[in-house]
Amino acid sequence: MQLSTETSPQTHLQSYLEGGTEMGALIRSYDWSGTALGAPDQWSQSLLTTIGIVLKSRFPMCLWWGTELIQFYNDAYRPSLGNEGKHPKALGQRAEECWPEIWPVIKPLIDQVLSGGESTWSEDQLIPIYRNNRIENVYWTFSYSKVNDTSGKPVGVLVICSETTDKVNTMAKIEKTITEQIIARKKVEQAEEMLRLSIEAANVGTWHMDVATRKFIASTRMKELYGYYPDEEVSYDDVLNRIPEEYRNKVRLAVEQAIASGESYSIEHPVTGYHDQTPRWVRALGKLYPGTSDHTAHFSGLTLDITEQKRDEMRKNDFIGMVSHELKTPLTSLNGYLQLLIARMRKTEDTFISTSLEKAYVQVKKMSTMINGFLNISRLESGKIHLDMEIFDLDQLIREIIEETKPTLQHHHLSLSPCLPVSVYADREKIGSVISNLLSNSIKYSPKGKIIEISCITHDGVAEVRVRDEGMGIKPQAIEKLFERFYRVETKHTQNISGFGIGLYLCSEILLHHGGSIWVESEIGVGSTFHFSLPLAT
Ligand code: ADP
């Protein structure tokens, strides 16, 4: 107070109104004489002191003064007014005029404070305000407290506030994320429940094996399929031992390979129940689940009972086998008679009869190939394929097959080069059917007038036969599946070419049984070369 008496009125005023960058300058330059407060030199000491506090504070503050609640605010408060609309009009404005949109909310608070009530406290309260030319949802934490004049009469309301919109929005986002996670977890739980119900409904056995310890856990249904009682402990070896010996290694290998490669496996095999000694067929599927922070690496799988399906398949195979076998005999004799007739008619002049006979012969040949295919397939599937092994000249067999195929080869140029004498120990008839199949495919899948080349070479202890054509070729994606049962490449070129997709499957199975192999190189529009190899006779 000592100081104030010594300073001039002007300096005295300045000392209160100094500070604050934008708002300080605005308050100092504002023409206050037009307001109910009058010019600053008429302002009361308490107004000046409070404005001094507001201006210097870095906390957002707003002050309403006098009966008209004339408004002041500082730099920290200023951003809450947005960039368009309220500021700088809000300075010196009557609170009611500045805040019509929230007046019903804040008026009671102002009255409460001015009438001597306690200071208010509101946290993260939504007070939508008009700024930036629109109503915005703004959250605030604020307190209203009264300011008295020197006589102790309440004359103003100091608002200390902080906009918490960002905090509230961030919290809302976190809450939303958590809710979404809860919903997602619920969905996973529901999916797991559905899966459990489906497994139960489908009567599927399930099992689980720790990769490191080989601890094996089997479901009741799994134990049942392997002929064990529900409460019995069953180990991985117990399960393997229920698989007949000829399949056991294959299954063991498939599981080990799936564990090593991390890929899934699917295999069909028979089992003989432990207590009930019941023979069953099952399909086993499994996959490795690598270790995570939650669990160790484990292998999980499903086992389905496919006994009925297998029985049906076997019955179908037996039927096809039986029918094909019965058809073979009359066809063979028909074939013989036709060959006899063709030989005879060659000596006569009657071209009509001889060409008709040749056409009939081609059709009979096609039919025998088909029937042989069915017969072989049914034998293969029922594991009854039998190889009549003998030592024979492969080059000789190739020449014979070409001779037999000649009638269907009229429209292509055949070249046999080179084909050195080579002996193999194999089933002559079945290897003949492989050559015949490859040759008839190269005729079927290449246009008239093109060259078909057969060659036979030896290397590394094997005889290798190649059948090359200049046909339509095979796309890379199809090559992988070419040797699968019933697989045919679906294109508009192959649509009108008849076939069952069993020829190449049979070829590969026959070669597999001989310890040989079959493969193909092909380019679309350029042609295909099928190769097969057989161990040489020692
Ligand atoms: P099919 O000829 O009875 O359909 P295959 O098992 O002999 O059955 O052949 C399987 C498929 O492979 C055929 O449908 C055909 O699309 C394709 N294919 C076989 N040989 C050739 C070839 N030489 N050129 C082009 N495609 C071929």
Side-chain angles (χ1 to χ4, degrees):
M1 280 302 109
Q2 184 68 23
L3 257 178
S4 63
T5 49
E6 283 171 13
T7 48
S8 71
Q10 200 53 37
T11 0
H12 167 79
L13 251 180
Q14 265 169 10
S15 73
Y16 289 106
L17 299 184
E18 75 187 6
T21 323
E22 185 187 356
M23 292 318 298
L26 276 175
I27 290 175
R28 286 189 294 273
S29 63
Y30 194 89
D31 178 13
W32 293 101
S33 55
T35 68
L37 298 178
D41 52 7
Q42 292 160 26
W43 291 358
S44 67
Q45 182 59 49
S46 51
L47 173 57
L48 287 170
T49 312
T50 319
I51 289 178
I53 294 169
V54 170
L55 272 183
K56 287 180 196 69
S57 175
R58 307 218 8 215
F59 217 82
M61 288 184 188
C62 164
L63 178 68
W64 292 315
W65 199 266
T67 44
E68 291 199 354
L69 298 167
I70 300 292
Q71 183 163 266
F72 298 86
Y73 50 94
N74 63 5
D75 288 341
Y77 184 88
R78 193 246 157 287
S80 307
L81 295 170
N83 290 325
E84 272 161 71
K86 283 202 154 60
H87 175 81
K89 231 174 42 213
L91 182 65
Q93 209 174 11
R94 285 167 50 234
E96 187 177 358
E97 213 177 290
C98 181
W99 301 106
E101 67 276 27
I102 53 170
W103 196 242
V105 182
I106 63 175
K107 177 73 168 69
L109 298 177
I110 294 171
D111 288 347
Q112 176 194 323
V113 170
L114 285 177
S115 62
E118 276 193 14
S119 299
T120 69
W121 176 253
S122 308
E123 207 166 318
D124 296 332
Q125 184 159 337
L126 172 67
I127 304 191
I129 62 165
Y130 188 83
R131 71 175 180 197
N132 298 328
N133 288 327
R134 63 194 157 101
I135 288 282
E136 281 185 33
N137 277 340
V138 181
Y139 291 86
W140 306 90
T141 290
F142 60 90
S143 167
Y144 287 9
S145 49
K146 72 172 176 201
V147 184
N148 293 343
D149 64 9
T150 38
S151 66
K153 198 173 106 225
V155 277
V157 177
L158 178 64
V159 184
I160 301 183
C161 58
S162 172
E163 183 178 339
T164 55
T165 312
D166 283 350
K167 182 190 110 185
V168 171
N169 284 346
T170 309
M171 291 302 291
K173 264 187 215 150
I174 294 173
E175 220 165 89
K176 191 167 161 241
T177 315
I178 293 174
T179 316
E180 278 167 2
Q181 278 171 355
I182 293 173
I183 292 174
R185 194 173 325 132
K186 282 221 171 103
K187 278 191 184 152
V188 170
E189 279 168 12
Q190 272 171 359
E192 277 172 357
E193 175 70 6
M194 288 295 288
L195 179 65
R196 206 180 50 72
L197 288 175
S198 318
I199 286 174
E200 252 169 44
N203 223 357
V204 172
T206 56
W207 54 274
H208 179 102
M209 181 167 68
D210 189 300
V211 171
T213 61
R214 298 284 154 143
K215 189 173 159 42
F216 187 80
I217 300 165
S219 71
T220 305
R221 174 63 179 154
M222 171 80 181
K223 290 180 191 168
E224 195 182 18
L225 285 172
Y226 281 75
Y228 289 99
Y229 302 134
D231 46 5
E232 234 168 330
E233 280 261 336
V234 177
S235 72
Y236 180 50
D237 280 338
D238 291 337
V239 162
L240 278 180
N241 286 335
R242 302 322 321 140
I243 303 172
E245 223 174 309
E246 61 269 35
Y247 287 89
R248 198 176 303 151
N249 238 352
K250 204 169 145 193
V251 175
R252 197 201 310 265
L253 273 176
V255 172
E256 293 304 329
Q257 210 176 339
I259 290 179
S261 67
E263 281 169 12
S264 51
Y265 89 106
S266 165
I267 200 166
E268 290 181 1
H269 61 83
V271 291
T272 311
Y274 182 65
H275 295 296
D276 56 7
Q277 288 295 307
T278 307
R280 295 183 183 88
W281 268 87
V282 296
R283 174 175 301 132
L285 312 152
K287 189 173 180 307
L288 175 77
Y289 295 86
T292 65
S293 51
D294 289 349
H295 55 73
T296 53
H298 67 275
F299 201 78
S300 281
L302 299 177
T303 304
L304 289 89
D305 186 353
I306 53 162
T307 314
E308 259 320 297
Q309 199 177 319
K310 270 282 163 190
R311 274 191 198 133
D312 277 352
E313 232 171 74
M314 281 173 194
R315 276 194 285 266
K316 187 190 72 197
N317 271 337
D318 286 350
F319 178 73
I320 293 176
M322 204 173 69
V323 171
S324 327
H325 185 78
E326 291 303 315
L327 283 173
K328 242 184 106 157
T329 322
L331 253 181
T332 314
S333 74
L334 188 58
N335 195 35
Y337 283 121
L338 276 173
Q339 270 176 301
L340 263 176
L341 280 172
I342 288 168
R344 284 234 176 141
M345 289 315 288
R346 276 204 190 112
K347 294 176 196 142
T348 71
E349 300 284 299
D350 195 332
T351 49
F352 173 74
I353 294 189
S354 61
T355 42
S356 304
L357 282 174
E358 293 213 343
K359 281 187 181 151
Y361 177 71
V362 168
Q363 297 307 321
V364 167
K365 267 263 83 89
K366 272 194 190 165
M367 205 155 156
S368 341
T369 312
M370 255 191 265
I371 286 172
N372 270 327
F374 288 136
L375 190 58
N376 281 332
I377 252 202
S378 84
R379 284 181 182 158
L380 251 178
E381 308 270 286
S382 52
K384 287 188 208 138
I385 193 142
H386 174 73
L387 299 182
D388 277 326
M389 301 297 275
E390 57 180 306
I391 293 182
F392 62 90
D393 292 336
L394 187 58
D395 53 305
Q396 184 55 39
L397 177 65
I398 293 174
R399 277 175 240 273
E400 268 175 40
I401 302 289
I402 293 177
E403 205 48 46
E404 273 179 29
T405 323
K406 272 244 162 90
T408 54
L409 253 167
Q410 290 154 1
H411 306 294
H412 292 81
H413 305 290
L414 185 81
S415 106
L416 180 63
S417 60
C419 199
L420 305 169
V422 47
S423 282
V424 289
Y425 179 63
D427 182 319
R428 196 172 193 277
E429 197 198 322
K430 294 204 170 55
I431 297 300
S433 77
V434 171
I435 302 169
S436 160
N437 234 308
L438 297 182
L439 195 54
S440 66
N441 274 352
S442 62
I443 299 167
K444 256 162 72 174
Y445 299 106
S446 67
K448 289 179 180 169
K450 294 288 181 184
I451 295 171
I452 292 170
E453 186 187 276
I454 304 187
S455 59
C456 171
I457 54 164
T458 60
H459 61 86
D460 307 314
V462 296
E464 183 181 325
V465 178
R466 292 181 192 163
V467 181
R468 187 178 73 82
D469 66 51
E470 301 175 334
M472 60 178 72
I474 305 152
K475 56 183 180 206
Q477 310 90 289
I479 287 184
E480 298 161 18
K481 303 200 190 112
L482 219 57
F483 300 99
E484 285 173 15
R485 189 170 61 147
F486 301 131
Y487 180 77
R488 303 202 72 213
V489 184
E490 299 292 340
T491 64
K492 60 176 187 299
H493 291 299
T494 53
Q495 245 169 28
N496 304 318
I497 306 173
S498 66
F500 290 100
I502 56 170
L504 291 178
Y505 167 68
L506 277 174
C507 292
S508 77
E509 286 294 323
I510 289 171
L511 286 160
L512 198 71
H513 280 81
H514 280 87
S517 56
I518 183 164
W519 67 102
V520 62
E521 286 156 6
S522 185
E523 201 178 321
I524 287 284
V526 177
S528 314
T529 307
F530 281 84
H531 307 243
F532 75 82
S533 69
L534 271 178
L536 289 172
T538 42

